[in-house]
Amino acid sequence: MLDVLLALVPATLFGIYRFGMEAAVLIAACMATAVLAEWLFQKAMKKKSTVGDLSALVTGLLLALNLPSGLPVWMACLGSLFAIVVVKQLFGGLGQNFMNPALAARCFLLISFTGRMTDFGTVDGVSSATPLMQLKSGGIVNIWDMFLGTGIGGTIGEVSAVAILMGAAYLLIRKVISIRIPAAYLGSFAIFILIYRLFGGYGLDWAFLAAHLCGGGLMLGAFFMATDYVTSPITKTGKLIFGIVLGILTALFRLLGGSAEGVSYAIILGNLLVPLIEKVTLPRAFGKEGRIRG
């Protein structure tokens, strides 16, 4: 958990630099609420406190990075409360939750406060739409700006692809995560996008693909949330299948759905499929169903 927190530092710092103090306040509020909610719930249930494992801090930070900086603080705190109490603690705490708490909370906030969750403020005094929203409406985006995170709208932690990749590289070097899920996720997503554009008469539209790879929460989701130990498969084959499912779902949501984004819902649905994926990919025990001769 400490490694994950350290890996999120580049995206967090860039988000604060990009959106200012209101982003810093939102991040602090989410993390503090997550820790306090976990401590109070476990105290009320007369359970041993587990705030020292830092998982609540990770949940609070991930949630904050998936929120627009202008979201009211009380909504962000409500999201953290939902993530910790409803999704995590009511199902038994760390290791028992069936879906990623931070993403579940984001989806809860999206459904409950759609207008505020899709309001990304202004850039240079002009109402800001995310690059994916611009692509959805047939607009043109600057891929380099999307990669660096300059002058574009979005959630606090998603705007800079390079900052996210710096943290991802740290996790991979430290062997905290495996490359299997992110590679399968991004690879299947890329193939789907290229095939879709090819059959749409645009040829191999590499610029469109690059924009989708750098835009939205794809990188953040692929490296930091899809790889969550609790809600992802444990088998090697299962990780690949899981990643492919996420890639296809994300592409379907983005290209054919009403929203420009799709990472959160794709990972949540993928989490629900994990028991089935593990059931069909777990290796058979040696000697199972064998007959005893004698």
Side-chain angles (χ1 to χ4, degrees), residues 5 29 37 51 67 80 91 99 115 149 164 177 198 207 227 231-232 262:
L5 287 172
V51 294
L67 300 177
S80 281
F91 285 90
M99 64 174 63
I164 297 170
I177 64 173
L198 185 62
T227 55
T231 56
S232 62

Side-chain angles (χ1 to χ4, degrees), residues 8-164:
L8 287 169
V9 166
T12 302
L13 292 180
F14 188 88
I16 294 173
Y17 164 77
R18 172 69 182 77
F19 297 106
M21 283 306 299
E22 63 179 1
V25 170
L26 209 65
I27 291 169
C30 282
M31 296 177 74
T33 301
V35 172
L36 184 61
E38 182 158 301
W39 183 80
L40 287 175
F41 182 90
Q42 291 176 332
K43 188 173 181 64
M45 296 294 105
K46 295 181 171 52
K47 295 182 178 181
K48 180 181 178 181
S49 175
T50 58
V51 294
D53 64 16
L54 304 182
S55 62
L57 280 175
V58 170
T59 296
L61 180 54
L62 283 173
L63 174 60
L65 295 181
N66 278 280
L67 300 177
S69 61
L71 190 75
V73 173
W74 71 268
M75 289 186 186
C77 293
L78 179 62
S80 281
L81 191 67
F82 180 87
I84 296 298
V85 175
V86 178
V87 184
K88 184 181 177 184
Q89 292 300 329
L90 287 182
F91 285 90
L94 183 64
Q96 305 299 318
N97 49 284
F98 65 98
M99 64 174 63
N100 186 287
L103 287 183
R106 182 174 188 265
C107 292
F108 164 73
L109 292 175
L110 271 171
I111 294 170
S112 303
F113 313 104
T114 306
R116 298 309 299 262
M117 284 291 290
T118 54
D119 180 5
F120 298 101
T122 60
V123 176
D124 298 328
V126 180
S127 181
S128 172
T130 68
L132 291 184
M133 290 178 179
Q134 295 176 36
L135 279 177
K136 190 80 171 177
S137 60
I140 299 174
V141 297
N142 188 312
I143 298 172
W144 187 244
D145 284 346
M146 294 175 68
F147 182 70
L148 296 178
T150 55
I152 63 172
T155 65
I156 296 171
E158 75 178 17
V159 290
S160 176
V162 67
I164 297 170

